[in-house]
Amino acid sequence: MLARLLTFAVWALLALCSAFWLLKLLPAPLPVPPQALPAADGTGPRADLSRLFGAPQAAPVAEVAAPVDGRYKLVGLVAPKQGGGRHAGEGVAVITVDNAPARTVRVGAAVDGELQLLALDGNSAALGRQGVVSLRLSLAPPVPAATGSLPAAVALPPPQINSNPPPQALPVMPPAQPLPPELPPGQTGQDGNAGNTR
């Protein structure tokens, strides 16, 4: 029984280690940058569902119209380079109405009700009814680029080049040992070897 429990504990430890390293080695999802905005606010269409559940319909309340200038905001535009000529009536503007999600509007198309986009130029759009400009929207000026300053450059002294190469030390050889004197043929030395045997 002890062998079975020990085997189970070893396999459980192996499974936990495998799961740990698998989670460590798999790529982690990238974090969302803090300046990112959601594409949609996530809220569904807002409608009065009381009639669906059988409640009597309430009398409509007259809404107070917001000032025309504050209702519209020009978010972006694409306009031809030259105002006249072949591309006179072309262009697209991105406009928000009453802080709703922005939408694109072509020149000549309706923005809100009878209000139409009449013309575009470099950074503004003209809105009006029946060809008469009643409102001009301008793009917000671009945010200036973040600039900084670099530290002053420090001049380094030029490297000094020595025209004379450094003296090189000659390798030291061990002193030579004297050769043993040659013995005449047929004589043996102290070690018992014969002399020159040629």
Side-chain angles (χ1 to χ4, degrees):
M1 185 69 180
L2 182 64
R4 286 185 180 179
L5 286 175
L6 186 61
T7 304
F8 176 75
V10 168
W11 281 106
L13 184 63
L14 180 66
L16 287 173
C17 287
S18 299
F20 172 78
W21 284 109
L22 184 67
L23 291 175
K24 280 287 189 184
L25 295 177
L26 288 178
L30 296 175
V32 177
Q35 71 271 17
L37 297 175
D41 59 356
T43 59
R46 295 184 183 174
D48 184 20
L49 300 178
S50 59
R51 283 185 47 203
L52 179 67
F53 296 115
Q57 185 175 5
V61 177
E63 292 184 17
V64 177
V68 176
D69 293 344
R71 291 186 59 206
Y72 305 102
K73 181 179 178 187
L74 182 63
V75 178
L77 60 89
V78 178
K81 271 189 171 180
Q82 292 101 6
R86 198 175 99 196
H87 305 288
E90 295 181 4
V92 177
V94 181
I95 299 175
T96 62
V97 180
D98 295 330
N99 293 326
R103 62 188 185 99
T104 57
V105 181
R106 288 190 161 284
V107 173
V111 175
D112 185 35
E114 293 181 12
L115 195 64
Q116 294 180 332
L117 178 62
L118 298 176
L120 295 173
D121 59 20
N123 63 351
S124 65
L127 304 176
R129 291 178 178 82
Q130 300 174 353
V132 178
V133 176
S134 62
L135 178 64
R136 183 166 291 275
L137 302 175
S138 296
L139 283 175
V143 177
T147 58
S149 60
L150 295 174
V154 177
L156 296 176
Q160 296 189 4
I161 300 173
N162 198 356
S163 61
N164 297 333
Q168 293 183 354
L170 296 174
V172 177
M173 298 292 289
Q177 299 209 357
L179 293 175
E182 287 192 26
L183 297 175
Q187 287 185 348
T188 59
Q190 292 176 349
D191 59 356
N193 289 336
N196 285 342
T197 55
R198 286 188 210 164

